[in-house]
Amino acid sequence: MSTTPGQKIADEVIARYRAKTQQSAKLHAEAKKIMPGGETREVVTYKPYPAFMERGKGCYVFDYDGNEYIDFVGNYTSLIHGHCDPDINAAIRAQLDKGTALASPTVLQVEHAKILCNRIPSVDMVRYTNSGTEATLMAIRTARAVKRKDMIIKFEGAYHGTQDDAKVNVVPDLAPQGLPKAHVEGLGIPQSTLQNVVVAPFNDLDAVETLLKQYQDKLAGIICEPFLASLGTIPPKPGFLQGLRSLADRYGVLLIFDEVQSFRQSTGGMQLKENVMPDITAVGKLIGGGYPIGAFGAGRDIMDRFDYDPMNPDAIQHSGTFNGNEISMTAGIASMKKFDQKAVDHINGLGKRLADGFTGVFKALGLKCQALRVGSQLNINFTDKELSNALEWVMSLIPCMELQRLVHLELLNRGIYSAKRSEFVISTPMTAKEVDVCVQKVEETFAYLLPYIQAQTPHLL
Ligand code: PMP
């Protein structure tokens, strides 16, 4: 049987990965017996099997074969200070002897909340949840409660977590006729979800206005990731976020920013960076210092409804066993204290260095790829065309999915831990050294894969 040069390289990449990660192969086989797919979170697995990480330190992770990787995943942007940050760990150790959840309001919650309210311009008051999913769920519920309407607009490609309303058009309508058609993603999500969620392409204010006109009487709000953080790192076009603010005001709906990822863009999130104020904000990830967390907040007029009084017809209920638990609060306070302007400038500067490095690699190798960056996070995208929404991104990726998989595996072979969707995230312990090593490894990887690219994805050349 003849093997093409492309196939030969693909086989080599996988063979070297298997040779390097033999313990992971065994652990994966064991895990598969008791967890479907051998994992409990789709985003962390890939074929032939994922590397099992044993520990992390600073911006490095180590697998069970003792391989070292520079960690550009950072638990999907939540580990802003890397692994085992000494200040966060010291704070946690001290807190462990005082209790983990006291089932009362606590001083730590007040301290954490003051930090959030001081930093996020549009937020006067906050409530805590245990995940970003719950934070966006509560943000949407708040909009519905305030407006007494059920419908929301969401953007294609925006990821807001795993609740039903969020599982609509993360993957876009691939053949839209006019406005995209809304669909639920996956079994088990009621079709009735679509009665209350309509979708627009990101960066398309005309589409938003069309929906606002069409459903004006039913719409409570618009939920928006200020950039498509989980899908290509597609930034907002100049004026897009401001345009959303104006449209929300003009049509009397609430604007929700999901800043679960974008909070790291400045000391007060993308809203501070772009000077656009939403009505309701959801946050998570880094505000928990590496521990589970979410929070949602808004102006006092909206949040006062959570001061629950069953006699108040405007009141909104909110509860949760682990909300504001002492460990997440402690770690979050320590994390945010270190996440000051200097830290923001440091990671954003390294983000630029990484993106510039990747751009240089693609130019040198004559590859039609691009690094799209927003601050300290970026994505390698397999096209040189401008990307402004999820459909454009998916269409560029479809012919390159196997290449994307090989790039990811080959980077693991060369000691770089990136997200399988070709995402790279900077953490504060990184220096120019780690960034430059990553650029070099990306260059080596693409140079090595050139015969594969010539054979399988020649449109990239
Ligand atoms: N919103 C955004 C923008 C996110 O990136 C995520 C998680 N990747 C979520 C919400 C959901 O957060 P969690 O995974 O903590 O539920």
Side-chain angles (χ1 to χ4, degrees):
M1 213 173 75
S2 71
T3 0
T4 63
Q7 189 56 47
K8 191 163 163 280
I9 287 188
D11 291 346
E12 269 174 30
V13 169
I14 295 164
R16 290 213 324 287
Y17 177 74
R18 284 187 186 280
K20 179 177 174 171
T21 58
Q22 292 177 26
Q23 292 304 322
S24 293
K26 285 186 198 151
L27 291 166
H28 175 65
E30 193 61 24
K32 266 203 316 193
K33 293 180 196 157
I34 36 118
M35 291 193 293
E39 43 86 12
T40 185
R41 190 181 171 199
E42 278 159 32
V43 76
V44 299
T45 194
Y46 40 87
K47 285 189 173 17
Y49 52 82
F52 273 57
M53 297 304 173
E54 184 181 19
R55 64 191 174 89
K57 184 86 184 137
C59 60
Y60 290 84
V61 283
F62 304 84
D63 72 13
Y64 278 88
D65 286 276
N67 296 307
E68 176 182 306
Y69 306 83
I70 308 176
D71 183 9
F72 285 93
V73 180
N75 196 23
Y76 290 86
T77 75
S78 61
L79 290 171
I80 190 106
H81 302 303
H83 302 268
C84 306
D85 176 80
D87 297 318
I88 297 176
N89 274 6
I92 290 291
R93 281 194 190 100
Q95 184 57 40
L96 280 176
D97 288 328
K98 297 186 192 166
T100 58
L102 304 173
S104 82
T106 73
V107 166
L108 289 177
Q109 290 163 2
V110 176
E111 192 180 343
H112 195 291
K114 275 187 187 160
I115 298 176
L116 283 183
C117 295
N118 284 337
R119 284 184 172 213
I120 309 177
S122 68
V123 167
D124 295 332
M125 301 178 105
V126 286
R127 278 287 184 116
Y128 289 96
T129 63
N130 301 294
S131 66
T133 294
E134 281 176 86
T136 58
L137 182 155
M138 288 306 303
I140 292 169
R141 183 174 293 171
T142 304
R144 286 175 170 155
V146 171
K147 288 290 167 187
R148 310 266 172 140
K149 292 176 183 171
D150 289 346
M151 217 171 197
I152 53 161
I153 297 175
K154 119 169 239 303
F155 290 97
E156 285 201 308
Y159 183 79
H160 301 297
T162 57
Q163 77 274 31
D164 291 351
D165 288 321
K167 295 288 282 176
V168 176
N169 289 46
V170 180
V171 175
D173 174 1
L174 295 182
Q177 291 169 346
L179 283 183
K181 192 165 179 291
H183 61 268
V184 292
E185 239 142 65
L187 294 174
I189 298 155
Q191 288 296 323
S192 59
T193 308
L194 302 179
Q195 287 165 14
N196 293 321
V197 183
V198 286
V199 290
F202 193 65
N203 272 324
D204 188 341
L205 290 174
D206 289 343
V208 175
E209 184 153 20
T210 302
L211 291 172
L212 284 166
K213 277 186 185 144
Q214 193 173 345
Y215 298 108
Q216 191 164 14
D217 299 341
K218 296 181 181 163
L219 278 165
I222 305 169
I223 183 163
C224 173
E225 252 193 300
F227 62 96
L228 295 184
S230 298
L231 193 131
T233 318
I234 295 175
K237 284 186 180 162
F240 174 66
L241 297 175
Q242 290 81 353
L244 280 184
R245 178 67 274 172
S246 313
L247 284 174
D249 289 341
R250 197 171 330 138
Y251 288 88
V253 302
L254 296 175
L255 181 61
I256 304 169
F257 273 3
D258 175 354
E259 297 240 39
V260 169
Q261 280 202 48
S262 62
F263 185 65
R264 61 160 47 220
Q265 288 299 320
S266 78
T267 53
M270 194 78 163
Q271 55 190 271
L272 182 65
K273 191 173 174 180
E274 296 288 321
N275 195 26
V276 181
M277 299 309 142
D279 299 295
I280 305 171
T281 301
V283 280
K285 306 240 190 209
L286 84 90
I287 69 156
Y291 290 79
I293 203 161
F296 61 100
R300 190 171 301 279
D301 51 332
I302 289 181
M303 291 306 284
D304 263 341
R305 292 159 185 259
F306 286 93
D307 180 2
Y308 191 66
D309 170 1
M311 303 308 285
N312 175 1
D314 291 329
I316 316 172
Q317 286 182 319
H318 170 237
S319 204
T321 305
F322 294 104
N323 290 0
N325 72 78
E326 296 292 85
I327 297 299
S328 298
M329 293 295 109
T330 300
I333 292 165
S335 172
M336 282 191 291
K337 277 188 181 158
K338 291 181 78 156
F339 188 59
D340 54 10
Q341 190 57 47
K342 204 167 146 231
V344 173
D345 293 343
H346 174 67
I347 57 172
N348 288 356
L350 289 181
K352 180 171 185 325
R353 189 180 179 105
L354 191 64
D356 289 348
F358 287 177
T359 304
V361 168
F362 299 140
K363 204 166 166 217
L365 295 175
L367 281 172
K368 291 180 181 147
C369 294
Q370 63 180 307
L372 266 186
R373 173 182 77 96
V374 181
S376 54
Q377 49 193 119
L378 65 89
N379 220 85
I380 292 179
N381 295 318
F382 296 90
T383 178
D384 62 352
K385 299 209 174 73
E386 192 191 334
L387 292 169
S388 60
N389 62 43
L391 180 61
E392 290 167 6
W393 182 82
V394 170
M395 287 317 202
S396 72
L397 180 62
I398 286 173
C400 300
M401 281 167 74
E402 183 62 10
L403 172 63
Q404 183 185 48
R405 180 170 101 84
L406 291 175
V407 168
H408 177 246
L409 278 185
E410 185 56 20
L411 283 172
L412 285 169
N413 286 340
R414 293 172 192 265
I416 302 294
Y417 194 47
S418 60
K420 65 180 175 181
R421 59 184 182 228
S422 312
E423 185 189 34
F424 298 74
V425 177
I426 305 288
S427 56
T428 60
M430 283 183 186
T431 64
K433 181 185 135 207
E434 282 83 18
V435 166
D436 293 349
V437 169
C438 182
V439 172
Q440 186 198 328
K441 298 296 171 190
V442 163
E443 174 152 31
E444 288 170 15
T445 294
F446 276 95
Y448 171 71
L449 290 171
L450 269 185
Y452 176 92
I453 294 169
Q454 275 154 5
Q456 304 293 337
T457 57
H459 68 284
L460 292 179
L461 292 166

